[in-house]
Amino acid sequence: MVAVINPEIGGVSTTNATSVSDASPATERIKKFFEDKDWKFYAAVFAGVAVAGAGAYYLTSGSASSKKQKKPASKKSSEGTSAKGKETAEKADSTATSAADEWANMSAEAINDMSADVRAEAAAALKAKGNSFFSSKKYQDAIVNYTQAILFKPDPIFYSNRAACYANLGKVDEVIADCNEALKLDSTYIKALNRRAQAYEKKGKLSDSLYDFTCVCILDGFKNETAAKAMERLLKKVSEQKAKELVKTKKQRLPSPTFVSAYLDSFRQDNTPMSSAEGDSGNAYYNRARKSLQEKKYDDAMEAFDKAVELGCSQQAQALNMKGTFVFLKGDTQGAVENFNKALELDSKHVQTFIKRASIYMEQGDIAATFKQFEDAIGIDPSNPDIYYHRGQVNYINGNYDAAAKDYSESIKLDESFVYAHIQLGVVQYKLGSISSAMATFKNTLKKFESSADVHNYYGELLADQQKIEEALEMFSKAIEIDAKNPLPYINKAMLMYQVKGDIQQAMDLCKGALEADPSCDAAVASLAQILLEQGQPAEAVRYYEMAIDLARTEAELEHAISYVEATKTQIRFAQEYPSAVPKLNALRG
Ligand SMILES: *[C@@H]1O[C@H](CO)[C@@H](O)[C@H](O)[C@H]1NC(C)=O
Ligand SMILES: *[C@@H]1O[C@H](CO)[C@@H](O)[C@H](O)[C@H]1NC(C)=O
Ligand SMILES: *[C@@H]1O[C@H](CO)[C@@H](O)[C@H](O)[C@H]1NC(C)=O
């Protein structure tokens, strides 16, 4: 067994500067699931498994097997491999071209009366004639000869060759029709599949094209890199198209409560006493919003802050700050900035708003503006520990681990009651290679925050990364015991059960536990789907991948979730239509 847990331990998301919950392998995986630009890495949703060579996802198998130079999967794939970029026709075995003339213009009836041997001879001669026209690019003439050849003998190669002529003439529909005929006669005819795939793509029938390219790849064991690339390209195109459609009708909503809590908890809360306002005033709504926050009823809180802002309240800058925060969490960075700017117009010294504006600039990739927010905030209140903690997060994401460690330490010096600063300090020390300081930090933090599920969870991750499996399992179990509503330790434990202990049932049960704890936990959904796929249960896997589509919040997330569904469905369809080739598919699954 190789490394079990993603070595990117504690990797904070690149898109959400200030989220602690992202600092986990589970979320790393989900990030990979949703954001990886390299499609080959899709199998790495389950980090480690793919690396071990048991990649469930055929894209990965593809890149691996193309190096291994597998035997041609089909006898047809070895025919006419002389593709020169242009459409080519299968070469004739016979060169008796002049003899062909006697077969020209012969009626169907006359042909029917001939013996099979004679017909085969005639067909071969006609094909040879067609091929010679084809070589001199006289496609129209070649078509006449292939058409005649088909009358003598309905051979898939003749259809496929005629399709090649049509392809060179740009007649896409005819290409598809001829490939259909060829494939009726020989469903594993790779050339015809390739040709039809290209025609479908030209016609914009992307799903059909994806399916054909997929069949090509599986049938020939991923030998043809051009076809493998085409499959990836089509998968991306199909997913992009579907995501664009879906995102139009998708309601923007908040991420999972776990995620929202982690984000909100990374700011010290407003502890001012509540006013006594009741009824329908802005102040009353502001109070209600704060109460909902405490109860973790985030949708209610969001609505109440909106209302408070609309009606106006005595804490208007803070209300705008919170409204902007929820807008940001829903994925609308521009809307968030507008609210933050308004908050700062009302109260130019509202430190927390500067910090939150920093995460937006970070997400937009504007590093200079990001750090400027922190400088401004320090200018206002150099003793605010939130500033250093969040600057630490930004430094961490940018790989400035030394600076990040300093920031976390500064934040702790100013207020040591904030558990995430300790956790992140431990994680960054680990990143810096100071394993013993990291372990010491975690041990102390564990003593200090005995009842924090997060400390147990992250400490468990570091232990797992060091292959201290039993200790790690213990930490995850403890974390679950402390807070049954936090899905991350379930998923981490599931990973170990699956990858190290090989206990598939318990791994699945734990993932389901995570999903019960937090029904919008996308990491749980992705993990379950991946296990099922690896267990050869693609139909079950699709159900969970489809849940991931429901949970996706941005177009990019949608696209990635869709790509899984599409790829898996394509495999299922392949298995149905090519039952005899299923062992091949399973071999690729490893
Ligand atoms: C092949 O096609 C050419 C051009 O259409 C035609 O003149 C010729 O008779 C055909 N030959 C046969 C054997 O069908
Ligand atoms: C076949 O018919 C076409 C026209 O229908 C004619 O031009 C061609 O000469 C004929 N070929 C033979 C070999 O009879
Ligand atoms: C490989 O795939 C490409 C794209 O589908 C196709 O055009 C080409 O003919 C294939 N090459 C071989 C040798 O089959």
Side-chain angles (χ1 to χ4, degrees):
M1 272 287 161
V2 287
V4 264
I5 278 196
N6 195 329
E8 276 296 302
I9 190 127
V12 177
S13 144
T14 49
T15 56
N16 207 325
T18 24
S19 161
V20 170
S21 79
D22 270 2
S24 101
T27 33
E28 276 298 318
R29 271 192 306 281
I30 202 70
K31 286 292 159 196
K32 276 217 155 51
F33 179 79
F34 286 135
E35 278 164 14
D36 236 315
K37 297 293 182 289
D38 185 345
W39 296 76
K40 296 243 168 67
F41 273 103
Y42 268 13
V45 171
F46 241 84
V49 172
V51 179
Y57 195 71
Y58 59 69
L59 291 187
T60 309
S61 312
S63 59
S65 58
S66 65
K67 276 184 213 103
K68 274 186 256 152
Q69 285 297 348
K70 282 193 183 162
K71 278 241 155 113
S74 153
K75 61 180 169 58
K76 289 292 186 328
S77 69
S78 55
E79 281 179 22
T81 45
S82 58
K84 297 176 204 95
K86 257 282 189 189
E87 279 288 352
T88 53
E90 305 271 358
K91 292 292 171 285
D93 337 309
S94 146
T95 47
T97 49
S98 57
D101 286 342
E102 61 180 287
W103 310 117
N105 298 357
M106 199 171 252
S107 74
E109 286 84 10
I111 294 168
N112 255 334
D113 291 340
M114 299 164 82
S115 77
D117 280 356
V118 179
R119 266 185 279 161
E121 188 195 326
L126 284 160
K127 175 195 169 194
K129 189 88 181 160
N131 284 358
S132 81
F133 276 122
F134 187 96
S135 311
S136 44
K137 299 198 164 67
K138 294 188 171 152
Y139 304 119
Q140 209 64 63
D141 292 331
I143 287 169
V144 171
N145 298 154
Y146 290 138
T147 306
Q148 188 71 2
I150 288 166
L151 286 179
F152 283 86
K153 186 178 166 227
D155 186 308
I157 295 176
F158 304 164
Y159 281 110
S160 178
N161 281 3
R162 194 169 67 178
C165 296
Y166 286 128
N168 283 311
L169 294 170
K171 294 187 169 174
V172 178
D173 289 324
E174 285 83 352
V175 176
I176 294 169
D178 271 355
C179 290
N180 286 344
E181 292 306 316
L183 289 163
K184 261 185 226 158
L185 296 165
D186 176 0
S187 64
T188 63
Y189 189 7
I190 289 181
K191 271 215 153 180
L193 280 167
N194 244 326
R195 215 155 255 158
R196 191 171 68 177
Q198 288 163 343
Y200 276 141
E201 186 177 6
K202 281 213 180 77
K203 225 176 133 60
K205 294 183 104 177
L206 303 181
S207 294
D208 291 324
S209 175
L210 169 61
Y211 179 65
D212 281 351
F213 276 126
T214 306
C215 293
V216 168
C217 290
I218 300 172
L219 287 170
D220 85 350
F222 286 83
K223 257 192 333 118
N224 184 336
E225 287 210 20
T226 317
K229 287 221 173 72
M231 180 185 72
E232 292 172 29
R233 184 181 69 240
L234 263 300
L235 181 57
K236 189 156 168 56
K237 271 193 180 178
V238 167
S239 312
E240 265 169 9
Q241 205 180 49
K242 293 200 172 177
K244 261 207 178 66
E245 276 310 303
L246 256 179
V247 82
K248 280 186 209 152
T249 56
K250 216 167 169 71
K251 231 180 98 216
Q252 278 195 334
R253 52 166 192 79
L254 290 176
S256 81
T258 318
F259 186 98
V260 175
S261 295
Y263 183 80
L264 295 178
D265 285 351
S266 67
F267 295 92
R268 261 139 279 230
Q269 299 303 303
D270 175 3
N271 286 323
T272 54
M274 291 231 198
S275 77
S276 57
E278 278 175 41
D280 279 336
S281 68
N283 282 341
Y285 276 106
Y286 184 78
N287 282 349
R288 248 167 256 160
R290 276 181 64 185
K291 220 164 149 263
S292 299
L293 276 189
Q294 279 164 9
E295 292 163 357
K296 299 188 190 256
K297 292 181 176 161
Y298 297 122
D299 286 303
D300 296 349
M302 179 168 65
E303 248 173 66
F305 277 125
D306 278 358
K307 206 76 183 152
V309 165
E310 188 191 316
L311 296 168
C313 64
S314 40
Q315 307 250 39
Q316 188 72 350
Q318 176 64 15
L320 277 162
N321 168 301
M322 288 309 296
K323 182 180 175 184
T325 303
F326 280 111
V327 169
F328 173 58
L329 287 168
K330 272 168 76 175
D332 174 5
T333 47
Q334 201 44 48
V337 167
E338 281 161 25
N339 282 291
F340 292 152
N341 290 347
K342 277 189 213 154
L344 288 171
E345 273 165 33
L346 287 175
D347 177 359
S348 62
K349 297 200 178 314
H350 201 274
V351 168
Q352 202 184 86
T353 303
F354 281 102
I355 302 174
K356 288 181 178 168
R357 211 164 57 174
S359 21
I360 295 192
Y361 289 129
M362 182 65 205
E363 184 152 320
Q364 293 172 345
D366 188 343
I367 304 293
T370 307
F371 281 103
K372 174 84 169 54
Q373 305 308 306
F374 293 122
E375 273 158 39
D376 288 350
I378 291 170
I380 295 161
D381 181 6
S383 64
N384 183 321
D386 286 345
I387 304 171
Y388 304 96
Y389 173 73
H390 287 277
R391 192 173 68 182
Q393 297 290 78
V394 168
N395 275 319
Y396 181 92
I397 291 162
N398 286 304
N400 309 326
Y401 297 140
D402 279 314
K406 274 201 197 101
D407 279 335
Y408 296 136
S409 301
E410 181 65 24
S411 180
I412 293 168
K413 211 169 82 192
L414 290 167
D415 174 9
E416 57 170 20
S417 71
F418 183 55
V419 65
Y420 294 113
H422 296 270
I423 293 175
Q424 285 297 111
L425 178 63
V427 168
V428 81
Q429 285 168 332
Y430 193 82
K431 279 271 189 194
L432 281 165
S434 329
I435 312 295
S436 55
S437 337
M439 289 298 132
T441 300
F442 266 100
K443 275 187 190 132
N444 288 332
T445 309
L446 213 50
K447 260 187 228 140
K448 216 171 149 58
F449 302 90
E450 268 176 346
S451 60
S452 160
D454 283 315
V455 180
H456 287 84
N457 178 55
Y458 292 110
Y459 187 38
E461 290 184 8
L462 295 199
L463 291 167
D465 195 58
Q466 295 168 74
Q467 307 295 318
K468 296 180 178 165
I469 304 304
E470 297 308 322
E471 284 172 74
L473 282 172
E474 204 179 302
M475 285 298 145
F476 296 142
S477 302
K478 193 81 206 289
I480 294 170
E481 203 183 297
I482 294 169
D483 179 7
K485 287 278 165 213
N486 183 345
L488 298 180
Y490 290 91
I491 296 169
N492 282 328
K493 190 173 169 187
M495 293 300 105
L496 290 185
M497 293 320 291
Y498 184 65
Q499 294 175 357
V500 182
K501 305 271 181 190
D503 188 338
I504 294 155
Q505 194 51 50
Q506 209 191 335
M508 300 230 296
D509 288 346
L510 282 161
C511 288
K512 284 177 185 160
L515 215 47
E516 250 167 60
D518 178 357
S520 50
C521 178
D522 40 17
V525 166
S527 303
L528 265 174
Q530 195 68 22
I531 294 178
L532 288 163
L533 198 57
E534 289 178 11
Q535 297 311 309
Q537 299 181 49
E540 285 291 300
V542 164
R543 263 186 47 219
Y544 286 102
Y545 284 139
E546 278 172 344
M547 278 172 73
I549 293 182
D550 289 338
L551 295 176
R553 293 169 43 254
T554 66
E555 194 173 323
E557 287 176 357
L558 264 178
E559 191 187 315
H560 287 256
I562 290 170
S563 74
Y564 270 87
V565 171
E566 292 302 313
T568 312
K569 280 188 171 166
T570 309
Q571 291 184 56
I572 293 171
R573 187 174 154 201
F574 176 87
Q576 281 163 352
E577 293 183 12
Y578 294 91
S580 62
V582 165
K584 221 168 264 169
L585 182 58
N586 287 335
L588 293 173
R589 281 213 182 94

